[in-house]
Amino acid sequence: MSSKGALSGLKVIDLSRVLGGPFCTQILGDHGAEVIKIEPPQGDETRGWGPPYNDAGIAAYFAGTNRNKRSISLDIRHEEGKKILLKLLEDADVVVENFKTGSLEKWGLGYDDVLSKKFPRLIHCRVTGFGADGPFGGYPGYDAVIQAWAGLISINGSPDSGQVRLGIPLVDLGTGMNAVIGILMAVNERHVSGKGQSVEASLFDTGIQLQHPHAANYLMSGNAPKLTGNSHPNIAPYDLYPTRTTPVFLGVGNHGQFTKLCASLGEPDLAKDPRFADNSLRVTNREALNEALNKLFADKDGVEVATQLLAAGVPAGAAMSVPEAINHPHTRHRNMVVEMDGYKGTGVAVKLSRTPGSAKSIPPSFGAQGRDILKEHGFDDGEIENFVSDGVLWEQPK
């Protein structure tokens, strides 16, 4: 098996900060791309999003999306900084950025006017909040802000809790994944055309895309979704059930699974109840079904019964805490926690049989590889010292 990864040979210049862009480039780096992270003089904002911090002062938030990269800090608004960036782009395949729309153009680095002409094979990926055009075009966006505008907060929560922000930055993460998909589509198309192109992945578009099944339900029925808590609007039983210990979530998608559920819980006749004969009836009679299931789960150990149900072919999950999930034997078996040189992070989710991805280098300190990167691209020590004294190249204070 190759240890280099499926994207070995792909050079990526990462101008992005915060989450969507860096998550995208970390995935590319995990699979072998060379990623040079260019940070502004003040650094990626997430370097300060803590605690916790490790012994080197790197925030966990930053560390979670910036392994397998080398860091250089440039002021690309400075003429010399622009020249350095253009030098780095000469043999690059991809540039990823999430500046406010129009910023690169203002600095004389726009894709259409400059970069595509200088580097016809370059693939430009822009991660934005709301996209570059439209009524909100160019506006800034953070994950929770987009959750609100895209309607995601409106469908998350229960009638008792009211609307609740999703507990993970799903829109940012999804946008990063969409950016990866878009970049690889463009790389594939370039094999035919020999030309690069611009890829846009916006948080708003991703937020709307992720509105499944609520958007599909509304577009077909015309009825606005309601808060349903843990239950699913289209499926039953699809809910969280209390046990003697850890609650258990059921995701029963067909009648065969429902029959196995009832048999495994020692109540096979429940599957024959005419109120629960198919999914539509179970959704209609959800309250009665949940009452029956709550009684069956009440005296059970959550982890034990969920494990037994899985083995019986019933989709069931014990509602584990983050530490429990991270340390679960299956998590460790799937190599979904990586540890190296004092760094700990989540593993590589996409498994390739011949060219697997891997964590090869720890998240970099601010500007740590700047001098090395410049030397590799033909700059000598004297030029580099001038860049530092002129405020073009920034390094972490010693």
Side-chain angles (χ1 to χ4, degrees):
M1 289 194 302
S2 168
S3 62
K4 293 183 178 179
L7 298 180
S8 177
L10 194 76
K11 180 177 176 180
V12 179
I13 301 300
D14 180 10
L15 290 164
S16 67
R17 303 104 50 227
V18 190
L19 183 51
F23 187 59
C24 160
T25 52
Q26 176 169 281
I27 293 172
L28 298 175
D30 282 351
H31 288 279
E34 176 193 359
V35 181
I36 296 176
K37 181 179 179 72
I38 300 180
E39 301 187 55
Q42 66 272 25
D44 187 318
E45 293 96 307
T46 61
R47 286 189 180 277
W49 287 11
Y53 297 95
N54 67 10
D55 292 342
I58 295 176
Y61 201 108
F62 177 88
T65 58
N66 284 288
R67 69 176 175 228
N68 289 335
K69 305 177 187 181
R70 295 190 294 162
S71 171
I72 177 173
S73 180
L74 294 175
D75 186 350
I76 63 171
R77 297 168 300 179
H78 193 290
E79 262 326 296
E80 291 298 316
K82 280 188 264 189
K83 289 180 183 178
I84 294 171
L85 173 59
L86 292 172
K87 184 68 175 176
L88 299 184
L89 288 172
E90 284 181 359
D91 62 346
D93 296 284
V94 181
V95 59
V96 180
E97 52 98 355
N98 60 352
F99 295 113
K100 184 178 178 181
T101 303
S103 294
L104 281 185
E105 289 76 9
K106 181 175 65 176
W107 302 331
L109 293 166
Y111 175 74
D112 291 333
D113 296 336
V114 179
L115 298 185
S116 65
K117 292 181 171 57
K118 283 183 174 291
F119 315 113
R121 290 177 52 82
L122 181 68
I123 293 162
H124 164 252
C125 178
R126 171 171 282 166
V127 176
T128 66
F130 289 92
D133 52 17
F136 284 6
Y139 288 175
Y142 276 77
D143 180 273
V145 172
I146 305 299
Q147 284 191 31
W149 280 111
L152 292 167
I153 291 178
S154 79
I155 52 87
N156 193 52
S158 68
D160 291 335
S161 71
Q163 299 177 1
V164 179
R165 177 183 68 86
L166 278 65
I168 61 168
L170 182 64
V171 177
D172 263 326
L173 297 171
T175 304
M177 293 179 185
N178 276 344
V180 171
I181 294 167
I183 288 168
L184 297 184
M185 286 178 180
V187 168
N188 185 65
E189 193 279 337
R190 191 176 64 179
H191 293 314
V192 177
S193 68
K195 298 177 181 179
Q197 58 182 301
S198 189
V199 175
E200 184 184 53
S202 84
L203 276 68
F204 183 80
D205 293 353
T206 299
I208 296 295
Q209 176 193 34
L210 292 172
Q211 269 285 15
H212 189 81
H214 303 285
N217 289 346
Y218 164 69
L219 290 169
M220 180 173 287
S221 70
N223 297 323
K226 298 178 181 178
L227 291 174
T228 57
N230 288 308
S231 65
H232 195 290
N234 301 71
I235 309 171
Y238 200 100
D239 210 334
L240 188 68
Y241 298 90
T243 72
R244 178 171 50 83
T245 54
T246 305
V248 170
F249 200 98
L250 296 178
V252 175
N254 59 57
H255 195 70
Q257 292 173 351
F258 183 64
T259 300
K260 292 175 183 177
L261 168 69
C262 298
S264 297
L265 292 177
E267 196 69 37
D269 289 343
L270 189 63
K272 302 173 185 176
D273 190 313
R275 296 173 298 172
F276 313 137
D278 61 31
N279 180 68
S280 295
L281 288 167
R282 290 194 292 273
V283 170
T284 300
N285 297 294
R286 187 195 309 270
E287 191 172 330
L289 175 62
N290 283 344
E291 183 179 349
L293 290 174
N294 281 331
K295 290 179 181 178
L296 293 175
F297 276 109
D299 64 345
K300 301 287 193 298
D301 176 87
V303 173
E304 183 178 298
V305 71
T307 303
Q308 291 172 352
L309 288 172
L310 274 182
V314 180
M320 313 200 89
S321 67
V322 172
E324 288 170 335
I326 291 295
N327 292 297
H328 193 277
H330 193 69
T331 306
R332 297 293 174 154
H333 175 81
R334 296 290 298 172
N335 295 318
M336 283 310 297
V337 175
V338 296
E339 301 182 27
M340 57 183 297
D341 300 331
Y343 162 80
K344 297 180 182 180
T346 52
V348 179
V350 177
K351 270 69 171 177
L352 278 72
S353 61
R354 287 191 300 103
T355 56
S358 63
K360 303 171 189 66
S361 62
I362 65 175
S365 297
F366 174 66
Q369 293 81 29
R371 290 175 179 263
D372 292 339
I373 291 168
L374 291 184
K375 287 179 182 178
E376 290 166 12
H377 289 81
F379 296 98
D380 61 36
D381 289 336
E383 290 175 298
I384 294 171
E385 288 301 333
N386 287 336
F387 294 149
V388 173
S389 61
D390 290 342
V392 177
L393 176 68
W394 291 71
E395 299 175 300
Q396 186 164 308
K398 296 178 181 179

